[in-house]
């Protein structure tokens, strides 16, 4: 008589993986379903099953499964990559806040090894119905309100602002107001934020503006302030204060200041400003050191081609932050 041999979860995963290698999605699904019968919180099985539904273009089911996997094991990189693959195929407009999806977005934004660039629209949709932060997605918002100003330091808002881009003119209007409020806070000392909060908000906003090539509108008054600070920092860059630097970087790249390289050492130990300095100045220094070692396929001889090259080197929009996944 044959005995019923219990197959371990690990072996079920292995058999499902082997079936997937052979392109047999149905057999893989059977083994994964068996694994989930043994343990419905089996994160590996949930993620693998999500990937199968993704291959079948059943994105909705795949998303539900991968959210369960992330809830069990949020530190697994492959879970986050499957999540991003799911949501990048979908369009979101929430009628109510979805905490599970928001949690997955937050987990992705907390890491530096996940390509989060495709999360912008989803993050903005979540922001629009967030139980605490929805006002920050309203173009009529006013940062003169202390309550609204306090919202700007919320981790969910700052994490998205510092890493994502949102294709929305209305959202840009909100960011213009936020930047103006920061300048007013600095110039008139209205003190909407503490010194640390001011730097955190300005640093996040500077990242957004840097990666969108400083597309946000400015007023003549703001332009005058920027040029005044540029002159001061050009004369003695190492004496620039942290708050002025942080705010200036929301209007123009610090790399455009003559002798800006001295700021790299001055703010090397500054926890909040160091990433801003490194992005806007340090990266340009590193690129300058390696560009002469990159061979040219052909020489550029005519002036028009040279001008085109210079334009793209100065404004490489969109700037790459991650290598494409197919490399």
């Amino acid at each position: 008589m044959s005995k019923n041999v219990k197959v371990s979860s690990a072996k079920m995963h292995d058999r499902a993986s082997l079936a997937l290698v052979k392109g047999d999605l149905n057999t893989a699904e059977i083994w994964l379903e068996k694994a989930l019968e043994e343990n419905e919180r089996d994160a590996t099985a949930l993620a693998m099953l999500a990937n199968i539904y993704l291959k079948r273009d059943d994105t909705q089911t795949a998303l539900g499964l991968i959210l369960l996997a992330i809830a069990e094991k949020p530190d697994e990189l492959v879970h986050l990559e499957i999540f991003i693959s799911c949501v990048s195929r979908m369009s979101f407009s929430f009628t109510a806040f979805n905490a599970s999806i928001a949690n997955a977005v937050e987990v992705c934004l907390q890491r530096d090894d996940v390509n989060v660039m495709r999360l912008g629209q989803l993050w903005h949709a979540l922001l629009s119905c967030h139980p605490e932060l929805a006002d920050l997605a309203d173009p009529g918002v006013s940062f003169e309100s202390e309550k609204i100003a306090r919202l700007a330091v919320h981790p969910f808002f700052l994490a998205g602002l510092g890493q994502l881009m949102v294709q929305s003119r209305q959202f840009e209007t909100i960011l213009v107001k936020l930047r103006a409020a920061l300048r007013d806070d600095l110039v008139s000392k209205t003190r909407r934020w503490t010194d640390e909060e001011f730097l955190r908000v300005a640093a996040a906003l500077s990242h957004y503006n840097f990666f969108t090539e400083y597309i946000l509108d400015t007023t003549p008054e703001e332009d005058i302030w920027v040029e005044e600070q540029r002159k001061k920092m050009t004369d003695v860059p190492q004496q620039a204060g942290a708050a002025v630097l942080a705010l200036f970087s929301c209007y123009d790249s610090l790399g455009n200041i003559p002798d800006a390289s001295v700021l790299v050492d001055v703010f090397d130990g500054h926890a909040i400003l160091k990433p801003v300095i490194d992005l806007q100045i340090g990266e340009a220094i590193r690129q300058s050191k390696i560009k002469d070692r990159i061979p040219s396929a052909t020489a550029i001889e005519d002036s028009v081609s040279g001008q085109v090259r210079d334009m793209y080197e100065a404004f490489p929009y969109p700037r790459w932050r991650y290598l494409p996944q197919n490399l």
Side-chain angles (χ1 to χ4, degrees):
M1 295 178 63
S2 62
K3 296 182 179 180
N4 292 327
V5 179
K6 186 174 182 178
V7 180
S8 68
S9 295
K11 287 187 177 180
M12 292 182 193
H13 299 162
D14 291 341
R15 292 178 183 181
S17 295
L18 181 60
L20 287 174
V21 170
K22 296 178 180 179
D24 188 350
L25 301 185
N26 291 333
T27 298
E29 182 179 11
I30 290 172
W31 282 112
L32 295 173
E33 292 286 3
K34 287 180 179 292
L36 289 172
E37 287 176 6
E38 294 294 325
N39 177 13
E40 63 181 11
R41 299 172 62 179
D42 184 336
T44 300
L46 288 166
M48 292 177 70
L49 196 56
N51 209 20
I52 289 175
Y53 279 99
L54 202 56
K55 291 178 183 295
R56 292 171 174 164
D57 292 325
D58 187 348
T59 312
Q60 193 72 41
T61 302
L63 177 60
L65 289 165
I66 200 58
L67 288 175
L68 292 173
I70 291 173
E72 293 299 323
K73 289 191 175 181
D75 294 332
E76 286 290 337
L77 177 60
V78 66
H79 296 176
L80 305 180
E81 290 174 339
I82 293 173
F83 169 71
I84 291 176
S85 294
C86 285
V87 299
S88 64
R89 301 184 187 187
M90 306 172 74
S91 179
F92 293 89
S93 179
F94 296 103
T95 56
F97 184 69
N98 189 306
S100 296
I101 294 179
N103 174 68
V105 171
E106 286 187 272
V107 172
C108 290
L109 292 175
Q110 289 168 2
R111 299 183 58 142
D112 58 8
D113 58 350
V114 178
N115 185 347
V116 298
M117 292 305 294
R118 290 178 287 176
L119 295 180
Q121 186 266 343
L122 172 57
W123 173 80
H124 185 238
L126 288 165
L127 187 68
S128 300
C129 61
H130 195 285
E132 300 175 51
L133 306 176
D135 286 339
L136 291 178
D138 181 356
V141 69
S142 172
F143 290 95
E144 293 182 4
S145 163
E146 182 179 349
K147 175 185 175 182
I148 299 299
R150 303 303 311 159
L151 298 181
V153 300
H154 193 286
F156 185 76
F157 179 71
L158 289 182
L161 181 63
Q163 298 184 65
L164 306 174
M165 288 186 287
V166 177
Q167 297 177 344
S168 166
R169 179 60 178 169
Q170 291 184 330
F171 187 65
E172 289 179 0
T173 299
I174 296 167
L175 298 188
V176 167
K177 292 181 179 182
L178 176 59
R179 186 178 59 185
L182 287 168
R183 196 180 75 87
D184 184 59
D185 201 66
L186 181 65
V187 174
S188 66
K189 297 179 171 51
T190 52
R191 306 302 298 170
R192 293 177 178 85
W193 301 280
T194 66
D195 291 346
E196 180 179 336
E197 290 170 344
F198 180 97
L199 292 177
R200 287 168 53 205
V201 175
L205 183 56
S206 75
H207 284 331
Y208 190 97
N209 287 334
F210 182 82
F211 283 107
T212 55
E213 301 297 338
Y214 294 93
I215 196 173
L216 300 183
D217 295 333
T218 59
T219 65
E221 184 180 3
E222 288 175 311
D223 293 337
I224 292 172
W225 182 87
V226 170
E227 291 310 312
E228 288 175 348
Q229 303 313 312
R230 189 194 310 279
K231 184 179 185 305
K232 291 178 182 178
M233 287 189 282
T234 298
D235 293 340
V236 193
Q238 63 269 30
Q239 291 186 7
V244 171
L245 270 178
L247 183 57
F248 182 92
S249 67
C250 295
Y251 287 96
D252 193 9
S253 172
L254 295 170
N256 291 332
I257 301 171
D259 298 324
S261 59
V262 302
L263 297 172
V264 176
D265 293 330
V266 173
F267 289 93
D268 183 62
H270 199 291
I272 300 175
L273 272 188
K274 180 177 170 56
V276 177
I277 301 290
D278 188 60
L279 173 65
Q280 298 191 9
I281 302 175
E283 279 196 7
I285 294 174
R286 292 191 291 271
Q287 290 172 7
S288 178
K289 289 180 178 179
I290 67 173
K291 72 176 183 180
D292 292 335
R293 302 200 301 267
I294 301 175
S296 298
T298 58
I300 294 179
E301 299 177 350
D302 66 283
S303 61
V304 174
S305 296
Q307 292 173 16
V308 172
R309 176 201 59 199
D310 294 342
M311 181 190 71
Y312 279 109
E313 288 182 354
F315 301 101
Y317 185 83
R319 293 179 183 268
W320 281 21
R321 300 179 66 178
Y322 308 90
L323 287 175
Q325 291 184 328
N326 60 346
L327 290 182

